[in-house]
């Protein structure tokens, strides 16, 4: 007898529907699986057989054929165990109270019949919903993310036996709603801007960066507070909108990085990969490409500490995602596009010993310093809007009693600025000034003659590129938005130019 | 045979050094006589090996080739006894017997204008940079020729500032005449070639060698009437130049620095040993004016000497808006970090950045390093 159950797979960041067909017929006893399967799916056969036995079902000595369709797409992963088991049982005559042709079944089986969590549930459920499917059976640990899709009936199961009982209608599925309190709690942080002493300019730079999603580079001696500031950055960033949260959660779902019991990710991601990272880990890759750090940092911060220590080609592959806000990975089978709209925050020492320009401490030769700094290529620097020198703070400032502004206050200003931007760009499909491109820049950024002439001078003096000039404009727009001004004034453009680096970082001299 | 060619041959004989060449020239009068001298006469002055080397190289083919290549590259040869040979170099011990010259050899370095060498540390500070620029510009506008070694640091600034002020500058290399060293000075090399002159004792393609630099220092001081040391560490090559200057009877000027600055240790020691302490370019000008050969020089010392501090006060008083005054008064030649300026002014980040920006546009202050500010002098 033939039967069919629906399951899903992930392509890039999107889900797709996979049909799982089983047929039990007379003939020599055999168990065959077809449909362009990777070895992890082929192994499913053994798991399913054992799990069925251990759950008390007897596999008949018949000819069993399993087909995963469409047959031209390579299947990978362990989420097909449960649908295969269910479809075998169905073809053996299992009654169901549901219409199994419109029910999504996902899950991995262990040998004793337990159902284990799998990755990529959210994108699959999301996709099936858009295809008109309104019911899904998922591992109990994945219920949280599946429930993010509104109006979807989510049935969480913990074992094969339970699944069968629910399908037969012998047992009511347990309703498990996500705990809304846990969502709220997760936006609390243990660090705060108020804990950082001094560094006024740096804090201001961070505020502007957060308000317009601009890239930042901090150069300064070891221990000056670069990493700490970067880690505080999420505390002042605007909260994620629901759509943005879904996008982020999808990526984390595919990567298997969702924490247990948490469903929606509503904190902006903060990714800080170590500098030994490879190309593929940063940008995504593999035979069936998985998202890399740039995608995991989507809608959030990618913090690269010790920037010159990253291998050169790793840094250079970031150029394209920095411009396009997505990354395209091409393989023989297919081309995948992962979102990569991240804010780059980088920190570096000015020289190998880390003390330049303090010549009393720095022992590096000029050549050493130049060589160290030239590890960051000009084109990459060109994509950085806010470039700041950080000076280590003095001892007396370290124990100052007076508290500086807390993150909450700064965030309220940032959110005001982002609200202005969202309203302004509501028809353009973007949210932040930094995302303006081409004609949009001309449309939304207009300068008075006086302001224009300041920019023109800077263009000549600082030897700016066209991209550099555009980036200054966008930055000035954000600075004006922070003040709630419609018109970009002189002080806004001046401040924007101040943060701009002069092409390549130029070594002059220490003191 | 051309005299220049003979000199080129004479200067490239193996195992015969500059001192020996000079002795031969003084004994024989000129290079033709040496070329024509026979073995017996020569062996009175030279060792057997040297005589052999001299006689064996006599067919000169190699020098001819070299001579053609020099011509192609617009490099001239000035030899001991040449009419353009810098007269000041005759007076030093170990005068170079041959100089390769690129650019325009201005007559002024020989006669009516004074030459001052400005030398100092390769690893320069903001202070050193600004002071060098200040002295070099002002001396160059008073028609003083600036001599230096085109090394990294103070030397390069001295040349560059002299050129910017429209002055004439002389670079003495410690590498081959067509080898700019350090490499980043290739641009400076081209600029000096156009508006000044490049001199070297070493021929085409000779790589820089640590031993050559102290040697060229004797030419730097030899060409000059005085040597100004701006910044020097305790053991600095510039102190070798100062030593040569003293040996050659030239004045040594030194810019004082703070006691704890590594970069001023050498100059402070020079002052302790009796060097002329200078705080203003006029100090040097009036010292030169005291020498009778330069008493006719046209620069004007009548105008009152204004110190750097007085100048700063004047700017503060006359050219600044009230807000700018607050900023200006906390700046000096010591780079100040922007956070410290903000703390000092209490005006907040945005306003301070804007004020600094406008003042930098006006040329009142400089940003030697991103985020750090000094006054410009």
């Amino acid at each position: 007898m033939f039967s069919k159950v629906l399951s899903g797979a992930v392509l890039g960041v999107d889900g797709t529907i996979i049909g799982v067909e089983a047929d039990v017929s007379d003939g020599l006893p055999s168990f065959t699986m077809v449909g362009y399967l990777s070895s992890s799916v082929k192994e499913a056969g053994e798991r399913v057989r054992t799990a069925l036995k251990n759950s008390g079902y007897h596999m008949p000595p018949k000819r069993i054929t399993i087909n995963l369709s469409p047959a031209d797409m390579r299947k990978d992963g362990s989420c097909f165990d449960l649908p295969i088991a269910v479809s075998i049982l169905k073809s053996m005559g299992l009654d169901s109270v549901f219409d199994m042709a419109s029910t999504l079944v996902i899950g991995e089986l262990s040998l004793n019949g337990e159902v284990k969590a799998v990755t990529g549930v959210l994108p699959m459920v999301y996709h099936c919903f858009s295809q008109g499917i309104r019911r899904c059976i998922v591992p109990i640990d994945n219920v949280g993310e599946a429930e993010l899709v509104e109006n979807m009936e989510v049935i969480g199961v913990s074992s094969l036996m339970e699944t069968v009982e629910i399908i037969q209608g012998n047992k009511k599925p347990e309703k498990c709603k996500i705990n809304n309190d846990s969502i709220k709690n997760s936006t609390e942080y243990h660090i705060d801007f108020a804990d950082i002493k001094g560094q006024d300019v740096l804090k201001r730079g961070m505020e502007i960066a957060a308000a317009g999603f601009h890239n930042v580079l901090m150069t300064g001696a070891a221990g000056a507070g670069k990493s700490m500031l970067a880690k505080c950055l999420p505390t002042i960033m605007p909260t994620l909108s629901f759509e943005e949260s879904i996008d982020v959660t999808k990526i984390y779902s595919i990567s298997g990085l969702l924490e247990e019991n948490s469903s929606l990710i509503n904190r902006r991601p903060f990714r800080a990969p170590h500098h030994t990272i490879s190309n593929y880990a940063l940008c995504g890759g593999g035979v069936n490409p998985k998202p890399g750090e740039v995608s995991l940092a989507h809608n959030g911060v990618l913090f690269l500490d010790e920037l010159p220590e990253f291998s050169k080609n790793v840094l250079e592959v970031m150029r394209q995602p920095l411009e396009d806000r997505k990354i395209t990975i091409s393989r023989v089978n297919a081309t995948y596009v992962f979102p990569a709209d991240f804010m780059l925050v980088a920190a570096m020492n000015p020289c190998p010993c880390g003390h330049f320009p303090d010549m009393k401490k720095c022992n590096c030769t000029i050549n050493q310093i130049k060589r160290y700094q030239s590890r960051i290529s000009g084109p990459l620097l060109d994509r950085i809007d806010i470039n700041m020198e950080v000076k280590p703070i003095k001892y007396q400032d370290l124990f100052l009693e007076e508290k500086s502004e807390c993150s909450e206050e700064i965030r309220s200003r940032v959110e005001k600025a982002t609200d202005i931007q969202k309203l302004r760009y509501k028809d353009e499909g973007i949210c932040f000034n930094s995302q303006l491109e081409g004609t949009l820049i001309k449309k939304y950024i207009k300068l008075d003659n006086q302001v224009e002439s300041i920019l023109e001078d800077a263009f000549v003096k600082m030897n700016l590129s066209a991209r550099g000039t555009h980036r200054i404009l966008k930055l000035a727009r954000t600075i004006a938005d922070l003040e709630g001004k419609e018109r970009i004034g002189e002080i806004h453009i001046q401040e924007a130019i101040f943060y701009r680096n002069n092409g390549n970082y130029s070594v002059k001299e220490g003191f | 045979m051309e005299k220049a060619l003979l000199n080129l041959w004479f200067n490239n004989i193996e195992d015969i050094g500059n001192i020996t060449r000079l002795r031969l020239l003084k004994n024989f009068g000129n290079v033709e006589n040496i070329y024509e001298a026979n073995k017996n006469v020569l062996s009175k002055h030279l060792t057997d090996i040297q005589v052999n080397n001299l006689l064996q190289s006599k067919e000169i083919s190699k020098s001819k080739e070299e001579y053609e290549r020099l011509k192609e590259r617009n490099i001239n040869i000035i030899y001991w006894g040449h009419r353009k040979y810098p007269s000041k170099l005759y007076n030093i011990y170990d005068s170079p017997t041959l100089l390769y010259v690129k650019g325009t050899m201005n007559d002024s370095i020989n006669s009516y204008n004074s030459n001052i060498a400005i030398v100092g540390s390769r690893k320069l500070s903001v202070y050193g940079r600004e002071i060098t620029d200040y002295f070099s510009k002002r001396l160059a506008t008073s028609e003083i020729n600036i001599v230096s070694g085109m090394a990294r640091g103070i030397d390069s600034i001295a040349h560059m500032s002299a050129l910017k002020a429209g002055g004439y500058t002389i670079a003495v290399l410690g590498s081959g005449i067509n080898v700019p060293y350090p490499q980043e000075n290739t641009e400076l090399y081209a600029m000096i070639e156009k508006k000044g002159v490049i001199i070297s004792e070493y021929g085409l393609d000779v790589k820089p060698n640590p031993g050559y630099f102290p040697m060229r220092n004797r030419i730097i001081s030899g060409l000059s009437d005085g040597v100004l040391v701006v910044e020097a560490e305790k053991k600095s090559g510039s102190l070798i130049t100062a030593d040569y200057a003293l040996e050659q009877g030239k004045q040594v000027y030194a810019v004082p620095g703070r006691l704890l600055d590594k970069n001023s240790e050498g100059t402070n020691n020079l002052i302790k040993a009796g060097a002329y302490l200078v705080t203003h370019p006029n100090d040097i000008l009036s010292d030169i004016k005291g020498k009778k050969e330069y008493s006719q020089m046209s620069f004007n010392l009548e105008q009152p000497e204004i110190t750097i501090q007085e100048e700063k006060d004047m700017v503060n008083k006359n050219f600044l808006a009230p807000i700018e005054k607050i900023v200006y008064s906390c700046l000096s030649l010591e780079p100040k970090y922007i956070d410290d300026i903000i703390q000092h002014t209490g005006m907040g980040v945005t306003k301070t950045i804007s004020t600094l920006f406008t003042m930098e546009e006006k040329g009142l202050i400089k940003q030697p390093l991103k985020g750090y500010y000094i006054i410009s002098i």
Side-chain angles (χ1 to χ4, degrees), chain A residues 184-199:
Chain A
K184 263 183 200 156
N185 287 341
S186 67
T187 45
E188 272 171 24
Y189 297 91
H190 303 294
I191 37 179
D192 198 286
F193 259 65
D195 302 331
I196 300 167
K197 306 279 194 276
Q199 308 291 17

Side-chain angles (χ1 to χ4, degrees), chain B residues 51-315:
Chain B
V51 173
N52 262 342
N53 285 343
L54 191 147
L55 294 175
Q56 270 168 18
S57 63
K58 250 182 164 179
E59 27 83 49
I60 286 198
S61 62
K62 232 173 137 187
S63 300
K64 265 183 189 154
E65 251 173 58
E66 173 100 1
Y67 191 56
E68 287 308 312
R69 289 175 60 212
L70 286 168
K71 262 189 181 168
E72 268 171 39
R73 287 169 172 74
N74 286 326
I75 296 165
N76 293 319
I77 291 173
I78 290 180
Y79 46 84
W80 198 82
H82 190 279
R83 77 184 159 78
K84 278 198 167 180
Y85 190 85
S87 51
K88 287 183 181 106
L89 287 182
Y90 285 124
N91 303 329
I92 68 172
Y93 169 77
D94 200 5
S95 322
T97 50
L98 184 91
L99 291 173
Y100 298 90
V101 172
K102 198 162 183 185
T104 34
M105 191 73 163
N106 199 327
D107 286 337
S108 73
I109 68 170
N110 273 335
S111 52
Y112 46 85
N113 276 6
S114 173
N115 310 327
I116 292 290
I118 300 182
V119 295
S121 167
R122 283 164 204 239
K123 205 172 174 182
L124 87 168
S125 66
V126 170
Y127 174 77
R129 180 200 175 89
E130 296 304 314
I131 294 291
T132 309
D133 180 65
Y134 183 72
F135 273 84
S136 181
K137 264 188 189 152
R138 305 224 168 184
L139 291 177
T141 43
S142 302
E143 293 184 339
I144 304 272
N145 304 321
I146 304 296
V147 187
S148 197
M150 213 178 91
R152 207 172 265 146
I154 303 272
D155 285 21
S156 303
I157 307 289
H159 287 304
M160 190 64 90
S161 303
L163 291 175
K164 273 187 194 156
Y168 182 78
T169 186
I170 305 154
V172 186
L173 304 188
S175 55
I177 181 70
N178 60 341
V179 184
Y181 179 83
Q183 232 178 36
E184 69 244 30
N185 274 350
T186 312
E187 206 181 324
L188 179 64
Y189 180 93
M191 282 168 70
I192 298 176
E193 190 194 334
K194 260 185 220 150
K195 290 181 177 169
V197 68
I198 298 154
I199 296 178
S200 176
E201 248 188 306
Y202 308 104
L204 287 175
D205 305 330
V206 177
K207 295 232 165 66
N209 176 317
Y212 294 164
F213 291 96
M215 292 304 288
R216 66 101 198 254
N217 287 352
R218 81 179 198 282
I219 305 178
I220 294 181
S221 59
L223 278 171
S224 316
D225 297 296
V227 173
L228 170 65
V229 187
V230 181
E231 259 192 335
E233 287 170 43
K234 202 174 175 184
K235 285 179 183 169
S236 164
S238 344
L239 299 182
I240 299 177
T241 317
D243 277 345
Y244 277 124
L246 289 177
E247 242 171 59
Q248 297 162 357
K250 311 284 171 76
Q251 182 67 272
V252 174
Y253 309 101
V255 179
R258 293 197 199 189
L259 294 191
L260 291 179
D261 275 3
K262 257 193 213 162
N263 266 356
S264 290
E265 219 175 331
T267 44
N268 285 344
N269 283 343
L270 279 177
I271 294 169
K272 200 172 10 175
Y276 195 132
L277 186 153
V278 291
T279 55
H280 196 277
N282 278 3
D283 294 342
I284 296 174
L285 293 180
S286 57
D287 190 48
I288 292 169
K289 191 111 178 175
K291 296 187 180 173
K292 62 173 184 301
E293 63 260 46
Y294 299 119
S295 53
Q296 299 309 310
M297 272 184 80
S298 56
F299 53 74
N300 180 11
L301 277 179
E302 299 309 309
Q303 50 179 255
E305 181 180 306
I306 302 173
T307 65
I308 298 175
Q309 189 59 44
E310 281 164 354
E311 221 167 292
K312 189 188 158 192
D313 291 343
M314 211 171 72
V315 171

Side-chain angles (χ1 to χ4, degrees), chain A residues 273-503:
Chain A
H274 188 250
H275 57 72
T276 50
I277 191 171
S278 70
N279 270 350
Y280 303 109
L282 186 72
C283 288
V287 182
N288 290 310
K290 288 264 152 49
E293 291 289 342
V294 292
S295 303
L296 291 171
H298 179 62
N299 284 330
V301 177
L302 179 68
F303 176 48
L304 303 183
D305 204 355
E306 311 299 350
L307 192 64
E309 304 297 335
F310 282 79
S311 88
K312 186 128 189 139
N313 58 25
V314 167
L315 293 180
E316 299 312 312
V317 291
M318 274 196 325
R319 286 195 211 169
Q320 187 233 351
L322 273 172
E323 277 301 289
D324 301 344
R325 308 199 305 278
K326 62 180 189 237
I327 184 150
T328 313
I329 297 172
S330 297
R331 292 291 177 268
V332 179
N333 294 330
T335 298
Y336 304 90
V337 177
F338 290 106
D341 189 0
F342 61 93
M343 175 174 152
L344 176 67
V345 177
M348 64 182 278
N349 290 339
C351 69
C353 84
H355 291 298
F356 182 83
D358 187 345
M359 286 318 214
K360 288 186 194 81
K361 288 185 187 162
C362 178
N363 290 317
C364 306
T365 64
I366 291 167
N367 271 342
Q368 274 177 314
I369 299 172
K370 275 196 172 163
R371 218 175 305 129
Y372 191 75
Q373 295 183 345
S374 69
R375 290 193 206 167
I376 320 291
S377 71
L380 186 64
L381 277 177
D382 206 24
R383 288 162 168 82
I384 284 170
D385 309 288
I386 299 182
N387 186 8
M388 285 178 293
E389 284 283 326
V390 189
K391 194 187 164 199
I393 71 164
K394 289 181 229 120
Y395 181 80
Q396 56 265 39
D397 293 345
L398 198 57
F399 296 101
L400 270 184
E401 274 305 310
E402 81 181 83
K403 275 238 168 187
S404 38
E405 251 181 330
C406 69
S407 297
E408 197 61 44
E409 280 172 61
I410 302 176
R411 189 169 72 228
S412 71
R413 283 202 299 270
V414 168
E415 286 190 332
K416 248 181 230 161
T418 48
D419 288 346
I420 295 174
Q421 294 170 53
K422 264 183 199 151
L423 192 70
R424 185 188 303 135
Y425 305 130
K426 63 178 185 297
D427 301 330
E428 310 291 352
I430 57 174
C431 305
F432 295 107
N433 289 328
S434 59
Q435 298 168 336
L436 286 173
E437 267 167 51
T439 50
L440 293 184
I441 296 178
K442 277 204 189 103
K443 186 172 168 192
Y444 288 106
I445 302 180
K446 295 208 168 67
L447 296 182
D448 299 351
N449 286 342
Q450 238 173 340
V451 182
E452 179 110 41
S453 73
I454 293 178
L455 186 64
E456 207 179 313
D457 285 350
F459 183 84
V460 178
K461 235 191 221 166
M462 297 167 71
N463 207 359
L464 289 172
S465 66
R467 176 176 26 229
T469 320
H470 282 162
R471 285 191 171 263
I472 288 179
L473 282 175
K474 295 185 227 175
L475 194 62
R477 183 65 262 167
T478 306
I479 296 170
D481 284 340
L482 269 172
E483 274 187 29
K485 296 264 166 61
E486 191 40 52
R487 174 187 155 273
I488 296 177
E490 283 171 42
I491 53 169
H492 305 135
I493 200 106
Q494 284 168 345
E495 196 174 351
I497 295 171
F498 170 81
Y499 290 122
R500 179 88 205 159
N501 53 306
N502 315 1

Side-chain angles (χ1 to χ4, degrees), chain A residues 122-134:
Chain A
L122 177 62
M124 290 186 231
V125 176
Y126 204 82
H127 176 77
C128 288
F129 185 79
S130 68
Q131 299 296 310
I133 294 166
R134 291 291 177 269

